[in-house]
Amino acid sequence: MKLRPFRLTVLGLSLLIPAALCAVVLFLVLYSGQAIVFNGLRFLTQVNWNLGDLYDDPVVVHGIQVPAGANYGILVFIAGTLASSAIAIVIAVPLAVGASIFLAEIVPSKIRPALSMLVELIAVVPSVVFGLWGIAVLVPFIGHYLSPNGSGYGLLAASIVLALMITPIIASTLLDALLQVPRENRESAFALGATHFEVVMKAIMPMVRTTLIGGIVLALGRALGETMAVLMVSGGGLNILPTSLFSPISTISSFIASQLDSAETDPTNMSVRALAEIALVLFIITLSVNACAKLLSSGVLRVRKRA
Amino acid sequence: MPAPNFCPRGSYVSANALKSPRTALELRRIIIGRIGWCLCGLGLLLVIGPLIDIVAVVTWHGIAAFSPHLFTENTTGPNGGLANAIAGTFLITLFAMLIAIPLGVSAGIHLSEYGRGKLASATRFMSDTLTGTPSIVLGYFSYIVMIIGLGWGFSLAAASITIAILIVPYLARITELSLQQVPNTMREAAYALGAKDSTVVFKVVLPAASSGVLTGALLALAISVGETAPLIYTAGWSNYGWNGQFAHEPVAYLTYVIWTFIDQPDAKSHALAFAAAFLVMVVVLAINVGVRLTVRRKKLV
């Protein structure tokens, strides 16, 4: 076989991407190893996150040095992540479906590109700007009009900001699918005497259902990993499970972002290891959600070919 | 009986042209339709409204806080300007792009030109996975490897490499997609003239796809200017400008100003936060609007 230096060079450079991903997984696993041994399954089931006494002599458990009284449980953050993402999806899906149906069916095709560009632009606004808007506009609004305790920071604010951030993902996926539905479907529904709205609901939406679900799962993956906007408006709840829409929460990602200082002050490095374990958990969650989205979108192609 | 006039919307012919009274069922269906359309329109309003409000609020407060000394003075607590943060964001972005563009474009070339078989599809899958990985996880990875493991401390090098890891998959994907749109006959013609692999790519395929690759680079630039989460654990913060060190020297960046200064109690800090947000937002939106207006509805991202 002939040696092809150029092909080998670009092959080598392209392999750096898988190498980077493997390095991320490998180093997170290696670094969190001691934490995984120390925490066991309690990590996922306990509510209490306690760094222990950082100034006292560390104690040795199973041959691992930990600060006295340290206990790492992330159930609160898992609950916060799942709750905020779930509520965000509940808010975002109707908005995205309504908006994309309106764009596809009512808006004249001359101004449709402009409006759909606006929708897509929402997805590129940096999340820290969303957080700033949340603090400046949304949190005072919730605190003033909705919240019983007068504080706007919490689960509801985080969910609304997340919902705004993921709506364009669902909407642009759905809009593309809606515009690709064959004319015959809509025309035959019109010929049967359906009103325009019935055509959309009964003849077009069933055609794009799988795409819609794929888009929702993709958006869920984004919502689960979102950091800055949530960190800024969630209120940073610790050690207590959220009980209402207005409870302060922390998500897994926002908690990691907020723990820099405490990670630096721990002489045993155990909290850094525990944070690596949290990052690993977050990675596994988003990986499985994104894999679901991928499976769903490949399933769509199969259905289209059959039809 | 009036002549049945032609109506382009065929569904309404029976109701309108024959003027027979509507049955309760027909009325209900029409009313449900009207309500449905109103709800859909409301959905669109609620999606676009917040975007307009975000742009309006940030622009309003940002311009109110604008002054020339933002660009000339370093941040000193709530006073001063943003010169160090602007320089830091510029440097982080610059070095991230310098690392990411050769890697991302090469990976895109490989995947588009020679990427058949299991290895390439595995690379594509891992690249997508890396795109879907939360940026805070990447930041934390860099923290344990570069800050702790290699002992670099908060530094420009760690920050740039982290951002590069974040944007390489985007660049690879967009390069691959735009190279694939170059017709195969051009490659065949070049090979038939006896061109080498590298000549075909650099003299024929890349020039033909240059607008797509440039689009990818600009979108990656927008991403790296707006990122915050991966920088918290890698860049740190510094009240001073860059002194030429790549390691052991924290750098300032604009998005840090946004999320920490807005939590301060005084109005001056808030003004700085809004000014920083305005700068970041203008850069990101300008790049994206510009790209979208020139490359109309090509599904690249």
Side-chain angles (χ1 to χ4, degrees), chain A residues 4 6-7 10-11 13-18 21-24 27-28 31 95 98-99 101-103 105-106 113 115-122 124-126 128-130 132-133 135-137 164 167 176 190 193-198 200 225 227-228 231-232 253 256-257 259-260 264 272 275-276 279 282-283 286-287 290 294, chain B residues 11 29 32-33 36-37 40-41 43-44 46-48 50-51 53-54 57-58 103 106-107 109-110 114 119 123 125-130 132-134 136-138 140-141 143-145 148 154 165 168 172 191 197-198 201-202 226 228-229 232-233 255 258-259 262-263 273-274 277 280-281 284-285 288-289 292-293 296-297 299:
Chain A
R4 292 166 146 161
F6 179 72
R7 293 193 185 199
V10 289
L11 169 68
L13 290 175
S14 79
L15 287 181
L16 283 176
I17 296 177
L21 182 70
C22 294
V24 169
F27 280 104
L28 285 180
Y31 206 81
L95 288 185
I101 289 178
F102 199 82
L103 276 175
E105 296 290 325
I106 298 289
L115 283 179
S116 71
M117 186 180 90
L118 272 185
V119 172
E120 282 171 22
L121 278 184
I122 304 171
V124 306
V125 174
V128 67
V129 175
F130 269 102
L132 184 69
W133 178 80
I135 289 180
V137 176
L164 292 178
T167 307
D176 284 341
F190 272 127
T195 66
H196 193 179
F197 194 67
E198 288 167 344
V200 171
T227 309
M228 293 317 296
L231 173 65
M232 290 166 81
S253 49
I256 297 175
Q259 285 300 297
L260 177 59
E264 294 217 296
V272 182
L275 283 173
L282 180 61
F283 178 79
T286 48
L287 176 65
N290 286 330
K294 194 135 188 126
Chain B
S11 54
R29 288 169 57 198
I32 287 179
W37 287 123
C40 287
L44 185 62
L46 285 177
V47 172
I48 293 182
L51 173 72
D53 193 43
I54 288 172
V57 167
V58 172
L103 292 182
S106 304
I109 291 172
H110 169 72
Y114 319 116
L119 187 62
T123 305
F125 174 76
M126 308 261 270
S127 178
D128 285 352
T129 309
L130 201 55
T133 304
I136 183 78
V137 174
L138 293 181
Y140 201 76
F141 157 76
Y143 178 71
I144 58 179
V145 172
I148 298 180
F154 294 128
I165 296 176
V168 161
Y191 276 120
D197 285 332
S198 55
V201 167
F202 287 119
T228 319
I232 295 176
Y233 273 94
T255 43
I258 305 175
W259 75 276
I262 196 66
D263 275 344
F274 275 109
V280 169
M281 196 184 69
V284 171
L285 286 186
N288 276 283
V289 171
R292 265 155 238 259
L293 287 183
R296 282 189 81 86
R297 286 294 299 169
K299 203 57 187 165

Side-chain angles (χ1 to χ4, degrees), chain A residues 226-246:
Chain A
E226 185 45 58
T227 309
M228 293 317 296
V230 177
L231 173 65
M232 290 166 81
V233 301
S234 66
L238 278 182
N239 295 344
I240 183 162
L241 287 167
T243 49
S244 83
L245 276 178
F246 307 101

Side-chain angles (χ1 to χ4, degrees), chain B residues 4 28 77 97 205 209 271-272 296:
Chain B
R28 210 181 71 202
M97 298 297 283
V205 182
L272 271 186
R296 282 189 81 86

Side-chain angles (χ1 to χ4, degrees), chain A:
Chain A
M1 207 183 109
K2 224 170 67 182
L3 195 65
R4 292 166 146 161
F6 179 72
R7 293 193 185 199
L8 284 178
T9 312
V10 289
L11 169 68
L13 290 175
S14 79
L15 287 181
L16 283 176
I17 296 177
L21 182 70
C22 294
V24 169
V25 178
L26 182 72
F27 280 104
L28 285 180
V29 170
L30 282 183
Y31 206 81
S32 58
Q34 289 193 5
I36 295 175
V37 173
F38 172 69
N39 291 320
L41 272 180
R42 285 174 303 158
F43 191 61
L44 299 176
T45 56
Q46 282 198 336
V47 171
N48 200 20
W49 177 276
N50 186 348
L51 292 172
D53 190 343
L54 299 179
Y55 302 103
D56 205 353
D57 288 335
V59 292
V60 176
V61 184
H62 306 309
I64 300 166
Q65 276 204 339
V66 285
N71 184 56
Y72 307 102
I74 61 165
L75 188 62
V76 174
F77 315 128
I78 295 180
T81 306
L82 295 182
S84 59
S85 297
I87 298 173
I89 291 285
V90 168
I91 300 172
V93 169
L95 288 185
V97 170
S100 45
I101 289 178
F102 199 82
L103 276 175
E105 296 290 325
I106 298 289
V107 172
S109 56
K110 283 215 169 137
I111 56 171
R112 189 187 297 141
L115 283 179
S116 71
M117 186 180 90
L118 272 185
V119 172
E120 282 171 22
L121 278 184
I122 304 171
V124 306
V125 174
S127 73
V128 67
V129 175
F130 269 102
L132 184 69
W133 178 80
I135 289 180
V137 176
L138 187 64
V139 165
F141 177 83
I142 294 176
H144 204 261
Y145 294 104
L146 301 174
S147 172
N149 57 15
S151 164
Y153 295 92
L155 179 57
L156 184 66
S159 307
I160 292 178
V161 171
L162 276 180
L164 292 178
M165 298 179 72
I166 61 174
T167 307
I169 299 176
I170 308 175
S172 56
T173 318
L174 185 60
L175 179 62
D176 284 341
L178 283 176
L179 295 176
Q180 278 173 7
V181 171
R183 287 192 67 83
E184 291 79 7
N185 279 60
R186 26 183 318 126
E187 280 167 5
S188 42
F190 272 127
L192 289 172
T195 66
H196 193 179
F197 194 67
E198 288 167 344
V199 171
V200 171
M201 281 300 149
K202 295 183 178 158
I204 297 182
M205 285 309 282
M207 297 283 293
V208 298
R209 194 185 293 140
T210 336
T211 318
L212 174 61
I213 295 173
I216 293 173
V217 178
L218 200 65
L220 181 64
R222 265 292 287 278
L224 291 170
E226 185 45 58
T227 309
M228 293 317 296
V230 177
L231 173 65
M232 290 166 81
V233 301
S234 66
L238 278 182
N239 295 344
I240 183 162
L241 287 167
T243 49
S244 83
L245 276 178
F246 307 101
S247 312
I249 59 155
S250 282
T251 64
I252 299 176
S253 49
S254 76
F255 181 70
I256 297 175
S258 69
Q259 285 300 297
L260 177 59
D261 296 337
S262 56
E264 294 217 296
T265 49
D266 188 340
T268 64
N269 243 348
M270 200 57 195
S271 59
V272 182
R273 295 177 195 283
L275 283 173
E277 192 179 353
I278 304 187
L280 195 62
V281 170
L282 180 61
F283 178 79
I284 292 169
I285 294 176
T286 48
L287 176 65
S288 40
V289 170
N290 286 330
C292 280
K294 194 135 188 126
L295 283 180
L296 281 168
S297 60
S298 61
V300 173
L301 293 174
R302 217 171 44 238
V303 172
R304 277 219 187 113
K305 265 180 204 151
R306 216 187 297 143

Side-chain angles (χ1 to χ4, degrees), chain B residues 62-72 80-81 275:
Chain B
I63 287 184
F66 230 70
S67 68
H69 77 238
L70 283 183
F71 299 95
T72 55

